[in-house]
Amino acid sequence: MAKYNSIILPTLLAVWLITFLPSRASRNQNGDSYVRDACSVTRYRDLCIRSLSPFSNTAKHNPSRWARAGVSVALAEAKRVARYLATLKRNKDGGRIRGRNRIAVSDCVECFEDTLDNLHRSLYVLRKLSVREFGSQVDDVVTWVSAALTDEDTCLDGFDEEKGGKRVKPLINRVSNVTYMTSNALALINKLATAGPECLKNG
Ligand SMILES: *[C@@H]1O[C@H](CO)[C@@H](O)[C@H](O)[C@H]1NC(C)=O
């Protein structure tokens, strides 16, 4: 008996693994394919897939959920960067950022206030989309998210990377990151606009 068990148990285990694992793998692959499909319209695709994959299984093929997810991750990151900029500005030695770059930090704090306003408003409207008002709602959101992107670009333009050296580089990277996420959100909103109000009917 013991001799048989040593064969049967591993065999059962192998059968169980073969039947169970592929189904899990294909489930993950499905989740993956939703986010890949959604992000195919974006410019910064890797960042899109990385930041939006947690929404894959709820958003599936729903363009309005993807647009909302895009704006909400851009907003979350913009909030973090805005807090960081505000801390730098308040800091007595300004994180040892000088001259033109120090002024840029101050200007960025204001630009980011506008950015946050515009992204907040957009998210609010995206949560209340209706078939009847779809056209004007989506137009508004496109306008606001574009304005958010412009403000972020204005912030970036203020920096002089060559004079800032290693203190300014990480700042530029973080702000750039927000512009990429906002650009991705805008692409997802444009996809929603193309899909039209019919896409609201299935959830
Ligand atoms: C960009 O944002 C993502 C998401 O919040 C974050 O994980 C990543 O560290 C950021 N990269 C930079 C360079 O700030």
Side-chain angles (χ1 to χ4, degrees), residues 83-196:
R83 261 201 304 271
Y84 176 61
L85 289 165
T87 309
L88 263 187
K89 184 186 172 183
R90 274 198 307 271
N91 203 328
K92 265 211 195 75
D93 71 352
R96 295 206 225 148
I97 291 168
R98 306 257 178 267
R100 180 182 162 181
N101 287 311
R102 179 123 195 217
I103 295 166
V105 170
S106 278
D107 291 346
C108 279
V109 169
E110 281 174 34
C111 288
F112 264 78
E113 278 170 16
D114 287 344
T115 285
L116 293 183
D117 276 352
N118 280 312
L119 294 178
H120 267 300
R121 272 199 258 188
S122 303
L123 196 55
Y124 178 77
V125 169
L126 287 174
R127 285 185 178 135
K128 302 166 42 118
L129 287 176
S130 71
V131 172
R132 241 165 48 95
E133 294 179 85
F134 185 86
S136 68
Q137 288 175 317
V138 171
D139 278 352
D140 283 346
V141 172
V142 167
T143 304
W144 296 332
V145 175
S146 306
L149 192 53
T150 304
D151 278 317
E152 294 157 10
D153 280 332
T154 304
C155 163
L156 271 182
D157 285 345
F159 290 105
D160 181 343
E161 189 176 343
E162 274 169 29
K163 288 205 178 115
K166 66 177 196 287
R167 295 214 168 74
V168 169
K169 189 82 173 89
L171 204 53
I172 291 175
N173 288 344
R174 288 194 74 173
V175 175
S176 302
N177 204 25
V178 178
T179 67
Y180 303 154
M181 287 182 168
T182 309
S183 153
N184 285 346
L186 195 54
L188 294 170
I189 294 158
N190 283 324
K191 192 176 179 180
L192 168 66
T194 309

